Amino acid sequence: MSLSLQSNLTTNDKLAKNESKEQFFLAIYLSIMLVLTVYQDFPLVNMIGEIGRSPIILMLPLFVFCEIAMLAKHKRVMNGSTLQKYLFGFILYLSFISIVYLLVQFIQGSYSFGSEGLMGKAIKVLIYFVLILLYIRHMQLVFSKIKSFKVLYGCFLAVVTLLAAIMILELMSMPNAFMSLHSGNNPYWRVRMLTSESSTTGSIVVVYSAILVYLTRYLNGFAKTLSIIYASSFFLFYVFITGSKGFMIIILLTLVVTMIKFLDFRKKKNFILLISVVLAMYMFITNFSAGLVSSFSNDIENYTSSYTRMGTIIISLATVFHNPFGVGTGAYLMYFDKYVNDSISLMSHFYYNLFGISQINAGELLQYSGSDKNLGVKSGFFQWVMFGGIISVLFFYLLAKNLIVKVKSSSILFLALIFILFSMLLVTLEIKYEVWLLFAFISLFLGKNEMNPSKRSGVVK
């Protein structure tokens, strides 16, 4: 009996050591994936195009291998969630509508736009969507394999610390900070971390800070308080050094929505949160509004970003007005070019009537006419609406509704989700993997369990 007991103890020790090694490996791997998620100016873009701006494309073979291995083991698709089902259905629709509009263009004798083949463009854009779906599935698989929320917390803490260090080093070495890590070597005078420009960094800071704060619920009192202070300091540090007008506007809109949500004073927690939101809005208005208005006015008078963003959105709306179900991921090039001049004309009247500006600087927008370079809407939401029309609107509605229901139990993730939903109006979505990271995290850990129960039940404090 003693030998048998000793043998069992030895076996259990070996299993425990193997499990410990597996968890350590998973923690390292997750930390690497979190860094790759925020790296959005990868030099590979100079070789293979925009899809190479994120190193996540290099993970595609691993994603596919994991899917094949799981399919071979279980004989069916595992770890599905409502988020994945919505995205998969949307991809199927985009594939269908893309084929339809490609056939329309082929019948009319149009096979390419500039140097870009319409069929090739349709396939390349669809790869973005497939990669997003595989990324979500992979991250949810990794999350579910980690058996401790404290390990998850440690991974996010490490990456937030790295991002904070990068911001500090950028401030110290501007305008030539980390040039070898970026796709271009032009000087840059604002904090952008590992992205192409400062306007794309706000969503990263919000998502990683919010998830880190959420995970502090599994820490003890002092460690929890210290961690919340640390995450808040990281967020506020970014707020005070960023020069992104879009980030500031979205923060204000998020605060307004949050204030409306917490108007119910029957709960003491809601009252405290409402007071905090009002104070935050007051601080925002007093400290940032003057600079924001001045920067926006300067942008209108001297630069092209406002015109370009609004102009491309108008092009998207004009396209959907004439093609309610969208034009797909290939033929959109033809329709984008078709409505450029109409967009400029409409904006000229808008800015003259509203601001008294008789001549707008539409030089950047005019460059799109007849060109196939960087042709797209400067808004993730409206770009996808151009692809899929009213079906895209339905997709975003169902997606937002599903996620908002889930985050009712977490104020910090509610704030992050509202911020990200507003951000979709201003940033492109194809390589903004932190957006899909947040959605995958919420889908897995909050609300009704949609995945294999055994996966989540294994996660312990």
Side-chain angles (χ1 to χ4, degrees):
M1 290 292 293
S2 60
L3 291 176
S4 177
L5 179 61
Q6 185 177 1
S7 176
N8 288 335
L9 289 175
T10 303
T11 302
N12 290 336
D13 288 341
K14 289 181 179 179
L15 290 174
K17 288 181 180 179
N18 289 337
E19 184 174 324
S20 178
K21 289 180 181 179
E22 178 186 347
Q23 292 299 299
F24 177 76
F25 170 78
L26 285 171
I28 297 297
Y29 179 72
L30 176 59
S31 299
I32 293 173
M33 285 299 301
L34 293 178
V35 174
L36 295 182
T37 296
V38 304
Y39 194 178
Q40 296 166 13
D41 198 22
F42 195 45
L44 186 63
V45 64
N46 297 322
M47 299 174 60
I48 66 173
E50 283 300 308
I51 198 169
R53 195 172 290 279
S54 169
I56 295 296
I57 185 62
L58 299 177
M59 304 301 293
L60 180 58
L62 179 60
F63 292 170
V64 173
F65 174 79
C66 288
E67 293 295 329
I68 294 174
M70 290 178 63
L71 194 60
K73 179 179 180 180
H74 301 284
K75 310 302 180 184
R76 63 188 179 91
V77 176
M78 297 292 292
N79 298 330
S81 65
T82 301
L83 170 64
Q84 296 174 23
K85 293 172 184 176
Y86 286 160
L87 187 54
F88 180 70
F90 186 55
I91 292 172
L92 290 180
Y93 174 75
L94 287 182
S95 301
F96 169 74
I97 201 69
S98 296
I99 292 172
V100 170
Y101 273 84
L102 284 175
L103 290 175
V104 170
Q105 294 300 320
F106 291 167
I107 291 172
Q108 296 175 354
S110 299
Y111 299 93
S112 64
F113 181 79
S115 60
E116 188 82 65
L118 299 184
M119 175 67 79
K121 185 66 174 180
I123 294 172
K124 285 193 289 187
V125 174
L126 285 172
I127 289 175
Y128 281 109
F129 290 92
V130 173
L131 188 58
I132 290 171
L133 176 60
L134 292 176
Y135 172 83
I136 290 172
R137 285 184 54 77
H138 193 75
M139 293 305 290
Q140 289 189 328
L141 175 64
V142 174
F143 285 146
S144 66
K145 291 291 185 181
I146 293 179
K147 298 183 180 299
S148 170
F149 279 113
K150 290 183 179 179
V151 172
L152 289 176
Y153 165 81
C155 295
F156 278 93
L157 177 64
V159 176
V160 165
T161 301
L162 175 63
L163 294 178
I166 290 174
M167 282 197 285
I168 293 171
L169 291 173
E170 278 187 314
L171 288 173
M172 294 172 59
S173 53
M174 281 184 182
N176 299 305
F178 302 108
M179 298 304 293
S180 61
L181 297 178
H182 290 277
S183 61
N185 56 6
N186 295 326
Y188 196 82
W189 292 94
R190 291 193 287 178
V191 167
R192 58 177 171 171
M193 291 190 279
L194 298 175
T195 70
S196 58
E197 58 184 49
S198 63
S199 61
T200 64
T201 57
S203 55
I204 294 172
V205 173
V206 169
V207 169
Y208 280 65
S209 299
I211 293 179
L212 184 63
V213 171
Y214 174 81
L215 291 172
T216 59
R217 64 176 56 197
Y218 302 104
L219 302 179
N220 297 325
F222 178 73
K224 178 178 180 179
T225 302
L226 193 63
S227 296
I228 292 175
I229 293 173
Y230 182 75
S232 301
S233 299
F234 170 70
F235 174 77
L236 291 174
F237 177 57
Y238 175 79
V239 169
F240 282 99
I241 65 174
T242 184
S244 172
K245 300 180 291 296
F247 175 79
M248 295 299 183
I249 292 171
I250 294 172
I251 284 291
L252 184 59
L253 290 173
T254 302
L255 291 175
V256 170
V257 171
T258 305
M259 182 178 67
I260 295 173
K261 180 183 186 305
F262 295 123
L263 281 178
D264 184 0
F265 298 138
R266 289 175 294 180
K267 296 181 180 179
K268 182 180 178 181
K269 178 183 176 182
N270 283 4
F271 180 76
I272 295 173
L273 287 172
L274 180 61
I275 296 299
S276 300
V277 168
V278 171
L279 289 174
M281 290 180 63
Y282 174 77
M283 292 179 61
F284 176 89
I285 293 172
T286 55
N287 288 283
F288 300 109
S289 59
L292 186 62
V293 172
S294 175
S295 178
F296 185 70
S297 299
N298 184 54
D299 186 41
I300 290 177
E301 294 173 4
N302 301 301
Y303 300 105
T304 64
S305 61
S306 295
Y307 304 128
T308 302
R309 187 178 301 278
M310 176 177 280
T312 57
I313 290 174
I314 291 174
I315 290 171
S316 172
L317 293 174
T319 301
V320 175
F321 178 78
H322 293 92
N323 305 271
F325 292 97
V327 293
T329 58
Y332 87 93
L333 295 173
M334 308 296 293
Y335 293 90
F336 198 101
D337 181 67
K338 180 178 180 180
Y339 295 112
V340 167
N341 291 328
D342 292 340
S343 173
I344 293 174
S345 176
L346 183 60
M347 280 197 303
S348 296
H349 289 93
F350 173 80
Y351 277 97
Y352 178 77
N353 294 330
L354 191 63
F355 300 107
I357 299 174
S358 58
Q359 185 67 39
I360 67 171
N361 184 359
E364 184 177 355
L365 192 59
L366 281 171
Q367 291 178 5
Y368 288 141
S369 182
S371 171
D372 60 339
K373 302 299 181 183
N374 299 320
L375 206 60
V377 184
K378 303 306 179 183
S379 161
F381 174 80
F382 286 103
Q383 177 69 75
W384 288 24
V385 167
M386 189 174 186
F387 290 152
I390 58 177
I391 301 301
S392 294
V393 176
L394 178 63
F395 165 75
F396 281 114
Y397 169 76
L398 293 174
L399 180 69
K401 180 181 178 182
N402 178 263
L403 294 171
I404 288 173
V405 169
K406 287 180 169 60
V407 295
K408 285 183 177 180
S409 60
S410 173
S411 299
I412 188 64
L413 290 184
F414 174 82
L415 285 168
L417 178 61
I418 296 302
F419 178 92
I420 291 300
L421 292 177
F422 278 125
S423 295
M424 288 180 171
L425 299 175
L426 298 179
V427 300
T428 57
L429 296 175
E430 285 77 16
I431 63 167
K432 296 296 290 175
Y433 290 101
E434 75 276 7
V435 171
W436 308 107
L437 172 70
L438 177 66
F439 292 174
F441 188 90
I442 293 172
S443 179
L444 179 63
F445 290 117
L446 282 80
K448 183 180 179 181
N449 185 8
E450 299 170 341
M451 296 174 63
N452 188 347
S454 63
K455 296 298 181 183
R456 284 188 53 192
S457 63
V459 182
V460 297
K461 295 183 182 181

